[in-house]
Amino acid sequence: MTTKPLPLTPELQAYLVAHGSPPDEIIRDLAEETRAVLPAHAEMQVAPEQAAFLTFLTRLLGARQAVEVGTFTGLSSLAIARGMPEDGRLTCFDISEEFTGIARSYWQRAGVADRIELRIGPAAETLRELPHERHLDFAFIDADKVGYPLYWAELVPRMRAGGVIAVDNTLRAGRVLAPRDEADRAIAAFNDEVLADVRVDAVLLPLADGVTLARVR
């Protein structure tokens, strides 16, 4: 089978970002505050092009019921909520009051706070509180990498037919080819698990650090 590898140089990456929907003032301010206040953790924030992609995808799906696992300072949740209608509902799961305190302020500033419910606690436990029926239109996983299989196991049965799960960091900067630590090994194993899961159709996109999209059958 013929492949078409893309030489994604820094210059081409910059071109790619420049030719997508640009971040507005709120997104720029949130990214800057995260870098200033949490410099040691700023890499946990999704890339600007991912934020645009999440808004685009959520709007394309017409998502009204969504879940996010791993909120950090709120850029991804802000992007998802912006793609939802006014009566949409996004439930966010995180363990940090400190990080999500920043998120809350930007949800409010963007006018989407009324669409978002934040639940603090270990997601492997709090996800089980969601209704068991297949009701979710969209889910985004971007939390501790070792926990991905647990979050996947809780979310897939709750997705409606045609619902989509997006999973971040599924390339690990290329280290899935030669894992170096526990997180790398966990993601490599998770990617194999998704590939073998007959309940979904999945693609792995070379967006930022790798984004897996899985459509539930």
Side-chain angles (χ1 to χ4, degrees):
M1 183 179 295
T2 302
T3 60
K4 297 181 179 180
L6 179 66
L8 197 57
T9 62
E11 293 78 14
L12 188 55
Q13 171 70 15
Y15 180 89
L16 182 153
V17 173
H19 285 77
S21 298
D24 65 3
E25 182 180 17
I26 295 176
I27 289 178
R28 290 195 301 269
D29 288 352
L30 174 52
E32 290 172 7
E33 181 171 343
T34 300
R35 286 193 296 268
V37 176
L38 300 166
H41 302 284
E43 75 283 352
M44 292 167 58
Q45 189 170 63
V46 298
E49 64 269 29
Q50 283 179 286
F53 177 74
L54 287 170
T55 300
F56 180 89
L57 180 60
T58 307
R59 189 170 289 143
L60 184 67
L61 290 168
R64 292 179 177 274
Q65 293 289 331
V67 160
E68 175 183 73
V69 183
T71 296
F72 189 43
T73 57
L75 180 51
S76 54
S77 51
L78 172 59
I80 293 167
R82 279 179 158 179
M84 302 178 75
E86 291 185 4
D87 61 348
R89 188 70 168 180
L90 170 62
T91 306
C92 295
F93 296 86
D94 203 279
I95 58 172
S96 174
E97 292 279 9
E98 177 190 3
F99 296 163
T100 56
I102 297 174
R104 288 181 187 274
S105 66
Y106 281 90
W107 297 339
Q108 192 68 40
R109 179 177 165 187
V112 297
D114 59 341
R115 304 176 199 176
I116 302 174
E117 177 190 356
L118 176 63
R119 301 187 186 184
I120 298 295
E125 300 173 10
T126 50
L127 278 170
R128 297 182 187 130
E129 299 171 1
L130 291 171
H132 288 277
E133 63 265 19
R134 300 181 66 177
H135 67 289
L136 295 175
D137 303 305
F138 180 70
F140 181 55
I141 301 174
D142 184 18
D144 62 297
K145 310 313 167 193
V146 175
Y148 275 22
L150 296 174
Y151 310 143
W152 180 264
E154 293 296 334
L155 287 170
V156 172
R158 292 174 165 87
M159 305 298 299
R160 66 165 174 82
V164 171
I165 302 176
V167 189
D168 199 18
N169 304 118
T170 47
L171 288 179
R172 295 290 292 172
R175 295 193 303 274
V176 287
L177 297 177
R180 300 176 187 174
D181 57 26
E182 184 182 18
D184 293 346
R185 290 188 289 273
I187 290 299
F190 173 77
N191 289 341
D192 290 339
E193 178 183 343
V194 172
L195 183 63
D197 196 327
V198 298
R199 299 171 297 176
V200 304
D201 301 304
V203 293
L204 203 170
L205 305 177
L207 174 65
D209 191 28
V211 175
T212 294
L213 293 183
R215 180 183 181 275
V216 178
R217 295 175 179 173

